[in-house]
Amino acid sequence: MQEIFGDDVDTVIADRRYGWINGLVREIVQRPAANRQTVSDKIDKIVTHRLFGIPIFLMAMWVVFKMTADVSAPYLDWVDGVINGPITHWIAALLGLLDLTGTWVESLFVDGVLAGVGGVLVFVPVLMFLYLALAILEDSGYMARAAFVMDRLMHTLGLHGKSFLPMLVGFGCTVPAFYATRTLENEKDRILTGLLVPFMSCGARLPVYVLFAAVFFPQNSGAVVFWLYLLGIGTAILLGIALKNTLFKGKEQSTFVMELPPYRLPTLRSIWFHMWERTSGFVKKAWTIIMATSIILWFLMAIPVRGEGSFADTDIDHSVFAAANQIIAPVFQPLGFGNWQASSALLTGFVAKEVVVSAMSQVYAVEQAGQAEAPPTFFEDIGGIITSFVSATGDTIKSLPLIVGVNLFEDEVEEAPTELMSAIKEGFETSSGGHGALAALAFMVFVLIYTPCMSAVAAERQELGMKWTWVSIVGQLLLAWLMAFAVFQGGKLLGLG
Amino acid sequence: MQEDIFPLSELKVGQSGVIVKMNFKGAARQRFMAMGLIKGETINVERIAPLGDPIDFVIKDYHLSLRKSEASEILVRQA
């Protein structure tokens, strides 16, 4: 066959098959004389315009970013409030009926299990808003244009035009960013994008930078934070090029055969379907990992190894958790922060980056204001849930105009307790042998690069599979260590700090 | 009759060509053919992306975008 036709068999069969179909279609299908300028064409003239195309694309991406990062925030706070308020009271009350108040069972449910439930549910509003934005972009047909406009740039990084969106969403939260990689059809593109997404510094890492920059670089804290973001982007770019030319070299060259479909108005039904299907998918798949991690961590913190505390009633620095961190800490010695407090903060950072700062105040034993309110009644709780939902909706509507304005830093800066700041300063100066500022910089770089939180890992496992998730986790830890090492030791060599 | 054959990527915006040959094999070829890139089909360059790549073509009454590297593997003659 090959000799007769001068081509391999598959090719000949395909040629003949499509040739036949083509002939058949030509014979029987009558087409209206087409050469009309449709509405779609008119929109495309503007949207893929040589000058306006990229600004329009950037604006669209900004709206998506704001929707996932800011507009969803009031609902996120509401979910958080409901879990930490009413649901905690109810569980406590229920356990009280069983005569378990003050026992380790109560602590396990409240601090372990509920923390896990909260860890899953707080992402629900974020994901709903991401999927709302994605559904609109995809169903309207704009996503194909966005890929068309950006492909040249992303292709030089070994990526695809559609990779831009997950990257951008990653600045808000890494979890929806992993799910946004699903818009990429080619497996290689999807995996490479997924591997680079965590380097887009997520919103929860910001408070850590802000706190440390305020302690060690009060004069130019804004610049430090800005450069950290750039460092993350730069790392992703270099890593993208490196991976493209090494690990992914032999892989099948991804093609960019893409239809630019006519624009359509998305239907509410399909948008809702996307939002619900995909969000509930996360909840179903992620809750096991998140719950297990929360409970394991609770046990580690509950078991005393020294001191006079008993099970579930011990100071954190007497727990297995602290002991384990004392063993881990020397690993960070060459980076300038080899004390157990710093490594505890990093380890709890795996649960959620939001808790790094609060873990620091916990392990540095800073006095926290106690909550001494009378628990509200059941009906007050129900009322509270409803009114706070209404006010969250109000806040969301109010935050819509914010989409246009840049408001990244203003409200994130919460006043850090001064005792915590001086405790951190002292701790880092001691552990680094007098190079506190360098050690702090190394710590921030480590926080930027190292493994995202357990929820992100759960999302990553779902999207990239177990193998690539492990590659990603190990790679990030190594890279974080090396980069922090370079910052601390390099800085010392250059005589900085 | 010898005609001028050149890669699709050399067509300018607004020009059309008739597909003569495709230098793809196996799965990639199937994929391109499934999208309607078949010998004898007329293809028209609609526009080029703001950064110079990919290119938006119209074939069989619909919009299809290809990278330059892919379009250069498809040979056409002047329509």
Side-chain angles (χ1 to χ4, degrees):
Chain A
M1 289 263 284
Q2 209 146 331
E3 279 166 34
I4 300 168
F5 293 105
D7 238 338
D8 61 277
V9 182
D10 283 351
T11 310
V12 174
I13 293 175
D15 275 355
R16 290 296 147 94
R17 180 188 295 151
Y18 286 106
W20 187 80
I21 295 171
N22 205 28
L24 186 68
V25 168
R26 208 170 277 176
E27 270 172 47
I28 59 172
V29 178
Q30 287 187 351
R31 287 174 196 278
N35 202 359
R36 59 222 136 88
Q37 172 94 326
T38 60
V39 180
S40 256
D41 288 329
K42 283 182 194 145
I43 298 175
D44 265 343
K45 269 231 163 81
I46 302 163
V47 160
T48 63
H49 187 272
R50 195 186 307 203
L51 293 176
F52 307 142
I54 292 178
I56 289 173
F57 164 78
L58 290 175
M59 261 156 49
M61 293 299 111
W62 182 249
V63 171
V64 176
F65 173 74
K66 281 302 207 181
M67 289 232 310
T68 54
D70 289 358
V71 178
S72 70
Y75 287 109
L76 196 150
D77 291 340
W78 174 74
V79 171
D80 200 42
V82 169
I83 290 168
N84 286 321
I87 298 205
T88 307
H89 306 153
W90 294 343
I91 297 229
L94 210 63
L95 292 169
L97 290 179
L98 301 169
D99 223 10
L100 291 165
T101 307
T103 63
W104 66 269
V105 181
E106 186 190 2
S107 171
L108 171 64
F109 271 96
V110 173
D111 302 326
V113 176
L114 261 186
V117 173
V120 179
L121 291 185
V122 291
F123 287 104
V124 168
V126 182
L127 289 172
M128 296 277 260
F129 276 96
L130 169 80
Y131 291 135
L132 171 66
L134 280 188
I136 294 173
L137 284 184
E138 285 189 325
D139 292 1
S140 69
Y142 182 73
M143 192 65 103
R145 273 73 181 187
F148 180 71
V149 168
M150 286 308 285
D151 187 66
R152 174 71 192 277
L153 195 68
M154 301 310 278
H155 195 50
T156 51
L157 307 180
L159 299 170
H160 188 277
K162 285 186 189 171
S163 306
F164 194 89
L165 182 86
M167 295 291 186
L168 187 94
V169 170
F171 285 113
C173 176
T174 314
V175 173
F178 276 124
Y179 289 114
T181 61
R182 207 177 283 185
T183 55
L184 291 150
E185 289 93 12
N186 182 281
E187 198 191 1
K188 180 202 128 185
D189 290 335
R190 208 164 49 232
I191 289 172
L192 195 52
T193 308
L195 291 179
L196 300 183
V197 150
F199 297 109
M200 305 297 119
S201 183
C202 76
R205 298 178 202 226
L206 186 60
V208 184
Y209 308 149
V210 171
L211 174 65
F212 275 76
V215 173
F216 291 95
F217 309 97
Q219 257 74 59
N220 24 22
S221 53
V224 169
V225 174
F226 181 70
W227 280 101
L228 281 165
Y229 273 83
L230 284 190
L231 181 68
I233 298 168
T235 307
I237 291 175
L238 290 180
L239 202 65
I241 295 173
L243 285 174
K244 173 191 167 190
N245 293 315
T246 53
L247 226 54
F248 290 88
K249 198 166 185 184
K251 299 266 171 172
E252 172 212 353
Q253 170 73 32
S254 80
T255 52
F256 189 83
V257 193
M258 195 180 61
E259 186 188 350
L260 297 180
Y263 288 98
R264 286 192 186 87
L265 211 58
T267 63
L268 283 175
R269 211 180 110 92
S270 90
I271 289 179
W272 175 250
F273 177 79
H274 278 136
M275 284 169 70
W276 182 247
E277 253 337 85
R278 295 172 175 178
T279 307
S280 61
F282 164 78
V283 173
K284 277 182 214 142
K285 288 277 170 60
W287 78 271
T288 42
I289 276 198
I290 297 175
M291 191 64 91
T293 317
S294 309
I295 292 176
I296 290 170
L297 213 64
W298 179 84
F299 270 103
L300 290 179
M301 291 195 197
I303 301 169
V305 282
R306 57 195 179 83
E308 50 268 25
S310 60
F311 182 63
D313 183 26
T314 178
D315 286 339
I316 186 163
D317 50 339
H318 293 159
S319 66
V320 176
F321 183 70
N325 277 301
Q326 250 136 16
I327 297 167
I328 300 172
V331 175
F332 300 115
Q333 194 57 53
L335 316 183
F337 46 91
N339 54 12
W340 76 269
Q341 289 94 339
S343 74
S344 302
L346 290 175
L347 201 67
T348 44
F350 177 67
V351 176
K353 295 287 173 290
E354 289 92 331
V355 300
V356 171
V357 171
S358 65
M360 285 231 140
S361 51
Q362 217 173 4
V363 295
Y364 280 115
V366 174
E367 297 275 318
Q368 279 173 315
Q371 290 164 307
E373 299 162 35
T377 66
F378 181 77
F379 291 104
E380 280 169 5
D381 274 341
I382 295 280
I385 291 173
I386 294 164
T387 51
S388 62
F389 183 81
V390 172
S391 84
T393 309
D395 286 347
T396 300
I397 293 164
K398 270 187 259 161
S399 73
L400 286 173
L402 263 182
I403 288 177
V404 197
V406 184
N407 190 10
L408 252 178
F409 294 90
E410 279 83 330
D411 25 59
E412 300 284 347
V413 189
E414 289 162 25
E415 76 255 35
T418 41
E419 311 96 273
L420 174 62
M421 291 172 73
S422 53
I424 288 176
K425 183 146 186 126
E426 206 173 302
F428 272 68
E429 290 292 352
T430 321
S431 68
S432 62
H435 301 280
L438 272 180
L441 209 54
F443 185 81
M444 286 192 271
V445 169
F446 196 92
V447 169
L448 167 70
I449 304 294
Y450 92 122
T451 318
C453 62
M454 58 182 179
S455 313
V457 168
E460 186 173 14
R461 187 187 63 163
Q462 201 182 340
E463 292 307 300
L464 307 187
M466 214 49 193
K467 183 185 121 197
W468 286 109
T469 303
W470 278 111
V471 168
S472 166
I473 291 174
V474 173
Q476 282 156 357
L477 285 176
L478 282 177
L479 195 64
W481 194 91
L482 287 173
M483 284 174 66
F485 181 82
V487 167
F488 184 64
Q489 298 296 346
K492 266 207 310 195
L493 272 180
L494 294 172
L496 305 170
Chain B
M1 189 174 93
Q2 187 68 33
E3 275 178 300
D4 234 9
I5 292 174
F6 51 91
L8 179 58
S9 53
E10 285 175 17
L11 279 179
K12 302 220 160 42
V13 175
Q15 291 182 331
S16 310
V18 176
I19 298 174
V20 176
K21 188 174 191 294
M22 296 213 300
N23 296 331
F24 295 104
K25 296 251 177 282
R29 188 182 182 91
Q30 293 247 11
R31 172 108 215 253
F32 282 102
M33 297 190 85
M35 298 302 276
L37 295 161
I38 293 158
K39 268 181 224 175
E41 200 65 48
T42 307
I43 186 163
N44 178 49
V45 182
E46 187 73 14
R47 64 173 65 81
I48 295 174
L51 297 170
D53 200 12
I55 305 168
D56 176 22
F57 297 98
V58 169
I59 183 166
K60 283 189 180 294
D61 236 8
Y62 85 100
H63 288 260
L64 178 72
S65 70
L66 299 173
R67 283 187 186 137
K68 267 189 181 159
S69 57
E70 290 148 4
S72 65
E73 298 297 318
I74 297 169
L75 302 180
V76 293
R77 63 178 161 78
Q78 204 79 51

